Amino acid sequence: MTGLRRFGLVAPIAALSLAGCGLNSVPTAEENVNAKWANVQSEYQRRSDLIPNLVETVKGYAKQESTVLAQVTEARANAGRVTLSAEDLDDPAKVRAFNDAQNRLTQAIIPLQRLQEAYPDLKSNTNFLTLQSQIEGTENSILVARRDYNEAVQSYNTRIRTFPDAIGAKIFYGAKPKVPFEAASGAQDAPKVDFNTAG
C-alpha cells in the first residue's frame, strides 16, 4: 500500500516535470509555425494566379512593352520552380532561395503596375484597375502573412532555446531553429521604373 501511495505522489510530480520540458509546447509552437507558413504560401499562390490575368490585360494596351511582360512571366515561372516545404523551414539556404525568387517576382511586377503612367487609357480599364487592386491587396496580405510567420518563428525559436522547454526540444524532438524571412538586399531602395517613353 505504501508503494502505491508513493507512486500516487510521484506520478503527478513526474507528469508536471515532463510537461514543463516542452513535451506539448514545442510541437504546438512548431505547428503554429507550419500554419503561418501555409498562410504565406497561400498568399504567394494567390499573387501567382493573378499575374497572368494582369499580363493579358496589359498586353492589349502596351504591345511594345513586351520586355516588361516577358520579365514578369519569367519571374513568375522561376518563383514557381523554387518550393519550400514546412520541413525545410530550418534550412537557411532553402529559405533564402525561396525568398530571393519571390523578391525577384515582386520587383518584376512593379513596372507592370506602373504602366498606367505611360498608357493613360489603361487607367480607365476596369479589368486593369481591379487586377492591380487585387495584386496590391495580395502584396499587403503577403507582408502580413510573413510578419505573422516571423513572429511564430521567433516564439518557436525562443521556446526551444529556453529552459525548461529546451530539454524536451533537444531530447525528444531534436528541434532546430526555424528560419525567419529577411528583407531582400536593396529593399530599402525604391525601384527605378523606365518605359523608354522619352523621345
Side-chain angles (χ1 to χ4, degrees):
M1 191 72 162
T2 311
L4 274 176
R5 238 184 244 165
R6 280 189 193 151
F7 179 75
L9 291 174
V10 172
I13 293 170
L16 281 174
S17 5
L18 284 175
C21 289
L23 280 182
N24 291 325
S25 60
V26 170
T28 300
E30 185 172 31
E31 287 303 315
N32 186 40
V33 169
N34 293 344
K36 300 298 183 190
W37 171 243
N39 292 341
V40 171
Q41 287 181 309
S42 174
E43 293 301 334
Y44 278 134
Q45 184 61 52
R46 176 174 162 69
R47 177 177 69 174
S48 183
D49 293 344
L50 287 170
I51 288 172
N53 295 325
L54 185 63
V55 167
E56 288 303 315
T57 301
V58 170
K59 272 184 184 177
Y61 284 88
K63 294 190 187 295
Q64 64 269 38
E65 300 301 341
S66 59
T67 304
V68 173
L69 299 173
Q71 288 171 346
V72 171
T73 303
E74 183 182 342
R76 177 183 176 265
N78 289 338
R81 285 187 201 106
V82 180
T83 59
L84 186 67
S85 68
E87 291 79 29
D88 296 330
L89 294 176
D90 57 4
D91 185 335
K94 289 181 180 179
V95 172
R96 192 175 311 108
F98 181 86
N99 194 27
D100 289 347
Q102 294 300 329
N103 286 330
R104 283 191 294 276
L105 180 54
T106 298
Q107 292 304 309
I109 292 172
I110 291 168
L112 189 60
Q113 290 178 298
R114 295 195 181 153
L115 273 172
Q116 64 180 341
E117 296 165 15
Y119 300 94
D121 290 345
L122 202 51
K123 287 182 184 178
S124 62
N125 181 284
T126 307
N127 289 338
F128 177 78
L129 294 175
T130 301
L131 288 166
Q132 183 182 32
S133 174
Q134 287 180 3
I135 285 183
E136 287 171 359
T138 301
E139 289 293 328
N140 288 334
S141 296
I142 288 169
L143 291 174
V144 170
R146 284 175 58 148
R147 184 198 64 215
D148 292 347
Y149 167 77
N150 280 350
E151 288 173 359
V153 166
Q154 179 186 15
S155 177
Y156 173 80
N157 289 348
T158 301
R159 182 170 298 281
I160 68 168
R161 293 178 60 211
T162 54
F163 184 80
D165 290 351
I167 296 167
K170 291 251 189 248
I171 294 172
F172 296 109
Y173 301 111
K176 296 179 186 173
K178 303 292 183 189
V179 182
F181 275 108
E182 297 175 355
S185 61
Q188 70 279 2
D189 303 324
K192 183 177 189 317
V193 179
D194 181 9
F195 299 115
N196 298 318
T197 54

